Amino acid sequence: MRIVVCTKETPDTAAKVEVSADGSVSWGDAPLVINPWDEYAVEEALQLKDRGASGITVLAAGTEVTRDALRHALAMGCDDAVLVDDPTLEQADTLLVSKALAAAVRKVDDVGIVLCGRTTTDGGSGLTPVQIGRWLGWSTLTYVSRVLAVDFAAGKITVERLLEEGRQVVESPLPVVISVVKEINEPRYPSFMGIRKAGKAEIPVWSAADLGLEGVAQVQWGAVSAPVTRDVQCEMITAVSVEEAADRLAEKLIADKVV
Amino acid sequence: MGGVWVWIEQHDGKAAGASWEAVGVGRRLADALGEKVTALVFGHNAAALGSEAIKRGADSALVCDDETLADFRVDPVASLLSALAKQHGPSVIMAGATTRGTDVMGPAAVDLDAGVVADVVEIEVERERIVASRPVYAGKLIARATIPAGVQMFTLRGRAFPAPAVDEARTGAVEAVSPVRAEGDITTKVTSFEVRGGEVSLTEAAIVVAGGRGVGGPEGFEPLRELAGVLGAALGASRATVDAGWIPYEYQVGQTGKVVSPDLYIAAGVSGAVQHQAGMRTSKVIVAINKDADAPIFRLARYGIAGDLFQVVPALTAAFRKRLGK
Ligand SMILES: Cc1cc2nc3c(=O)[nH]c(=O)nc-3n(C[C@H](O)[C@H](O)[C@H](O)COP(=O)(O)OP(=O)(O)OC[C@H]3O[C@@H](n4cnc5c(N)ncnc54)[C@H](O)[C@@H]3O)c2cc1C
Ligand SMILES: Nc1ncnc2c1ncn2[C@@H]1O[C@H](COP(=O)(O)O)[C@@H](O)[C@H]1O
């Protein structure tokens, strides 16, 4: 059974993101990188291949700028990549993006597991993985911190998930959609050979028509603005002794009613 | 037809804080739209939450009490939510932007072909339309969104809205509903659940005490744990300490960890990298304790002490013990 990893590009997390005068978002000359969470998904796919999966396809819904994220995943060791690119997806919401990704997954033969990151660091909501799973009619296991057992022949998987109150262990039949948290592994760096291979790889583009995709985005995005910056002036607390400084801080926090 | 629905997330019969906050928001929106608020409680032995939701502001509740809903699993919960919505036709469905809230609202939206705006921090009715705002680019920007057609679904960031108090005088109808999935139709099985022992949940905590690389090692968190104990706070951590293996990943605050928004965030030995800020920037009051008076964390903080955390934190614990009489 094959694995499909879903990924996209995001501005580098240290980038200064700003709204331009025309209302568009820009991040200067900071690079676009593979969504950091997806590196864990790619790494887990590679490890699952060692555990018996037959191959790994990387999948992204995006535009030409998304190719670098796909190449990063190929350089880490994935076998092939597909870019879903269509003008109708430009103003998409997770409902439509997940529908497109699910349609693309259906075009890949014998998929056992779709792997996603927990969320995207730009417009992320964590909704995409569960929605891909729903469109496919497969069960979805989110926030997975460990794949405890997987049996591709028998079509079964057991994972540990991180929920607010603790760790849940769940069994599910394959195929399944999984989103992973950072704890699951330590992503490898692309190898020199991998980078060379990825540079030469052909990445086919699938359009909405190729996927038989219909539907519209339901969410309409309006203006983007900078968050209201609270005018915080840090009051440095100094005193002759640490005890006195600590006591003054405690007094202030109690007066501010936050303790 | 119409109405504002709130899905009440629960674990062991206890509702998530974000769900009550959503009931409060639901009440406000419903009043502005001239609609009613319905709370949805799905679980086993959790039916009492239906009447609690009414006391907190809902007009009525739909309660499904069934063994198949004892362990949280996506399909039976999401399927029930969408089936009821198809039957009753609410105009708005809300839940907390928690792990379960996301898990349930996503598939239900697919079933209903509805838009979802996730992680909402502001929501208003403007000219009869709901306009929601959410942080994007890790909180560096705020985006506004509307859902012009169909059911409007929102998940609300925890602690972004006040939790409504219980009003014992409020009454309303609690209606029992049946599940839509029998055990045999549910493909997943929960085999165990290991609860983290008696700690305050990081995302719900009113106070967070967080440690960074400055704590120096796993034992370095001990003074912070003591302070958290005295304050009834949750413990948090920077990614550097998690990556070093000093503390488990569940404690990580930031872009690749949890987003928290407590009343008070005490950062000790944390430099304040942008990725850490993404997880705590919206805290009401931030206190920084750092040896380096130029550390970026001081630019976010309301109060700062430049000093060694191993001296400052125990002194702070002692000061609070004395002042709070603990
Ligand atoms: C894609 C990506 C995602 C990331 N996600 C996250 C995330 O989710 N969360 C996160 O936190 N980071 C995240 N990071 C990492 C982030 O960039 C920083 O590396 C990290 O936050 C630094 O952690 P720190 O502040 O504990 O350590 P440092 O930056 O090393 O700071 C340690 C601080 O402790 C102070 N100090 C040392 N000793 C003492 C003492 N005895 N008393 C008082 N102060 C002392 C020092 O002056 C220093 O300011 C991410 C990075 C990337 C690239
Ligand atoms: N446009 C996309 N193309 C491919 N995968 C995506 C896309 N958007 C989201 N994903 C996947 O879904 C996960 C969660 O994204 P999100 O729902 O945006 O927070 C990501 O970590 C990716 O694995």
Side-chain angles (χ1 to χ4, degrees):
Chain A
M1 281 182 141
R2 277 190 93 72
I3 298 195
V4 171
V5 191
C6 295
T7 187
K8 71 180 280 270
E9 80 294 347
T10 52
D12 186 81
T13 53
K16 267 213 163 50
V17 180
E18 277 162 5
V19 199
S20 322
D22 65 354
S24 65
V25 175
S26 62
W27 41 87
D29 45 18
L32 285 167
V33 297
I34 183 171
N35 173 38
W37 289 96
D38 298 345
E39 290 183 53
Y40 302 93
V42 172
E43 176 63 35
E44 200 53 29
L46 296 168
Q47 295 190 12
L48 285 167
K49 194 173 166 188
D50 294 341
R51 292 166 82 172
S54 59
I56 306 168
T57 300
V58 203
L59 176 64
T63 58
E64 284 303 310
V65 299
T66 312
R67 286 186 185 267
D68 287 345
L70 289 171
R71 288 199 198 284
H72 186 98
L74 288 173
M76 283 174 75
C78 296
D79 299 302
D80 45 56
V82 175
L83 176 63
V84 174
D85 184 358
D86 195 276
T88 56
L89 292 174
E90 251 157 51
Q91 292 297 318
D93 57 1
T94 62
L95 187 73
L96 193 53
V97 168
S98 61
K99 194 175 190 181
L101 292 170
V105 169
R106 279 200 205 96
K107 265 176 81 95
V108 180
D109 275 340
D110 193 33
V111 176
I113 302 176
V114 174
L115 275 167
C116 293
R118 198 206 108 144
T119 189
T120 42
T121 59
D122 48 5
S125 59
L127 286 165
T128 311
V130 258
Q131 294 197 313
I132 295 173
R134 197 64 168 188
W135 288 117
L136 290 168
W138 302 355
S139 61
T140 305
L141 308 171
T142 51
Y143 318 108
V144 168
S145 51
R146 262 194 302 168
V147 176
L148 297 168
V150 62
D151 185 336
F152 289 99
K156 274 196 330 206
I157 191 163
T158 308
V159 304
E160 176 190 79
R161 306 178 57 219
L162 282 191
L163 291 172
E164 275 83 354
E165 305 81 6
R167 287 158 190 265
Q168 187 192 52
V169 175
V170 199
E171 290 173 5
S172 173
L174 299 178
V176 71
V177 180
I178 285 177
S179 80
V180 301
V181 295
K182 175 177 160 284
E183 194 188 69
I184 194 164
N185 58 42
E186 194 52 57
R188 69 193 67 184
Y189 288 102
S191 66
F192 180 67
M193 285 300 288
I195 294 170
R196 276 187 48 183
K197 223 177 105 207
K200 282 186 273 177
E202 289 282 327
I203 300 179
V205 176
W206 292 351
S207 68
D210 294 333
L211 298 173
L213 184 70
E214 282 170 26
V216 289
Q218 300 286 7
V219 177
Q220 251 178 31
W221 293 102
V224 177
S225 56
V228 190
T229 45
R230 290 171 305 167
D231 213 4
V232 282
Q233 258 300 2
C234 183
E235 179 180 343
M236 295 301 279
I237 297 175
T238 48
V240 284
S241 71
V242 171
E243 286 70 27
E244 203 185 311
D247 194 57
R248 267 212 252 146
L249 176 58
E251 184 185 359
K252 283 177 191 295
L253 294 174
I254 291 169
D256 285 352
K257 296 198 165 59
V258 289
V259 169
Chain B
M1 292 292 184
V4 175
W5 280 18
V6 182
W7 177 66
I8 307 294
E9 166 181 352
Q10 55 89 24
H11 176 71
D12 261 353
K14 195 176 164 288
S19 297
W20 295 145
E21 292 155 21
V23 169
V25 171
R27 180 75 266 156
R28 179 162 58 80
L29 296 181
D31 288 343
L33 295 165
E35 296 194 10
K36 296 262 189 261
V37 180
T38 302
L40 295 104
V41 178
F42 306 155
H44 191 41
N45 301 326
L49 294 176
S51 13
E52 182 172 351
I54 291 168
K55 288 180 186 151
R56 289 189 186 263
D59 296 296
S60 62
L62 294 174
V63 174
C64 184
D65 188 331
D66 196 80
E67 254 174 70
T68 55
L69 302 168
D71 291 317
F72 175 79
R73 290 176 293 183
V74 175
D75 181 49
V77 177
S79 301
L80 179 56
L81 180 59
S82 57
L84 288 169
K86 280 181 187 161
Q87 188 187 335
H88 295 267
S91 49
V92 179
I93 307 179
M94 293 191 296
T98 56
T99 55
R100 293 187 188 86
T102 308
D103 271 5
V104 169
M105 295 284 274
V110 169
D111 296 355
L112 299 168
D113 205 19
V116 193
V117 182
D119 209 17
V120 169
V121 295
E122 270 172 56
I123 187 164
E124 303 294 336
V125 175
E126 291 176 12
R127 283 183 241 108
E128 322 257 297
R129 288 215 314 191
I130 297 178
V131 181
S133 300
R134 59 155 304 185
V136 289
Y137 298 96
K140 291 169 192 161
L141 297 176
I142 303 286
R144 279 160 59 95
T146 54
I147 306 171
V151 190
Q152 307 168 74
M153 300 178 75
F154 304 96
T155 66
L156 310 184
R157 180 177 285 192
R159 299 189 49 82
F161 302 95
V166 168
D167 174 356
E168 292 293 343
R170 287 187 60 87
T171 55
V174 178
E175 186 187 330
V177 294
S178 309
V180 294
R181 289 275 192 272
E183 188 56 47
D185 305 330
I186 305 170
T187 55
T188 53
K189 207 169 113 220
V190 174
T191 54
S192 72
F193 196 95
E194 182 198 324
V195 181
R196 274 189 303 125
E199 289 182 32
V200 185
S201 146
L202 190 51
T203 43
E204 293 195 359
I207 306 178
V208 173
V209 179
R213 208 192 316 256
V215 303
E219 357 25 76
F221 277 101
E222 276 321 306
L224 303 192
R225 273 208 183 84
E226 271 186 48
L227 175 58
V230 169
L231 294 175
L235 193 64
S238 75
R239 170 158 166 184
T241 64
V242 173
D243 285 354
W246 299 347
I247 190 162
Y249 169 62
E250 285 102 305
Y251 294 89
Q252 184 181 318
V253 173
Q255 186 153 6
T256 44
K258 291 194 171 122
V259 176
V260 301
S261 194
D263 295 335
L264 174 61
Y265 189 90
I266 303 179
V270 175
S271 63
V274 279
Q275 295 93 350
H276 188 78
Q277 292 186 19
M280 44 71 79
R281 178 172 13 217
T282 56
S283 306
K284 215 190 269 166
V285 172
I286 295 167
V287 170
I289 299 165
N290 197 303
K291 272 206 301 216
D292 172 9
D294 292 326
I297 189 80
F298 287 113
R299 290 200 279 274
L300 281 186
R302 168 95 56 92
Y303 304 111
I305 295 185
D308 183 346
L309 74 91
F310 290 105
Q311 292 176 3
V312 177
V313 173
L316 199 54
T317 309
F320 277 120
R321 272 218 178 91
K322 198 175 70 194
R323 287 185 177 270
L324 301 172
K326 285 191 186 163

